[in-house]
Amino acid sequence: MASQQHATLTHKLRKPLVEKLRRERINGSIQQLKSLLAPEFLTRQPDSKLEKADILEMTVCLLRRLKSSDGAAAAFRGGYSRCAREVAHFLSEERARTHIPPCEEEDSSPLSATKEEDSSPLSATKQEDSAPWRPW
């Protein structure tokens, strides 16, 4: 019976301390969000004091916008890559049908670089900086 009372007393003493540490973690994380998203907050409410709920709502809105813009960019890259593959396929079929010999610099053309799906931003920059491919 004494050990049960001791356990209950220990629990009663520890509970406020554990709760205080939990609140400190939550408040610390909210402060980190606020500092990370400071420009977003300044554009929305430059002179008002933000409550924790405001910070969380703005964070959710920003994350939703980022998620939708990432989806749009991925769809664009996928469509561009598919189009480039179709053009390369069409040209190779046309070359075979008309008996046009392949050009010497075929491997360095932007179309041959898009045969392999490479969605890294660096490869897109390299393709943009190179001279445009022209069939003539």
Side-chain angles (χ1 to χ4, degrees):
M1 180 82 101
S3 65
Q4 186 179 13
Q5 288 176 343
H6 178 69
T8 305
L9 181 62
T10 303
H11 178 68
K12 286 183 180 181
L13 293 174
R14 285 189 53 184
K15 187 175 180 183
L17 179 62
V18 169
E19 182 62 22
K20 181 181 179 190
L21 292 173
R22 186 185 73 81
R23 284 192 313 268
E24 286 176 1
R25 283 180 45 222
I26 291 170
N27 290 335
S29 295
I30 289 175
Q31 285 301 320
Q32 287 180 14
L33 282 174
K34 185 177 179 181
S35 66
L36 288 170
L37 303 171
E40 179 74 17
F41 296 139
L42 292 175
T43 59
R44 295 227 178 159
Q45 299 175 348
D47 296 327
S48 65
K49 182 180 181 297
L50 294 169
E51 295 180 358
K52 294 174 188 176
D54 296 328
I55 295 168
L56 291 173
E57 285 174 353
M58 288 182 178
T59 302
V60 168
C61 289
L62 181 65
L63 289 173
R64 282 188 177 145
R65 271 190 285 154
L66 289 173
K67 184 178 178 184
S68 68
S69 68
D70 285 347
F76 175 80
R77 282 192 304 270
Y80 180 85
S81 297
R82 186 173 55 250
C83 180
R85 281 193 306 272
E86 288 177 15
V87 167
H89 179 71
F90 171 78
L91 291 175
S92 67
E93 284 182 352
E94 193 65 24
R95 189 177 293 143
R97 200 173 343 156
T98 57
H99 306 292
I100 299 174
C103 63
E104 296 173 12
E105 298 179 19
E106 183 175 351
D107 290 337
S108 64
S109 73
L111 287 176
S112 65
T114 58
K115 286 180 185 176
E116 299 173 12
E117 275 197 75
D118 185 6
S119 60
S120 70
L122 293 176
S123 66
T125 306
K126 289 177 191 173
Q127 290 177 6
E128 291 172 3
D129 293 341
S130 67
W133 178 83
R134 294 188 178 103
W136 57 88

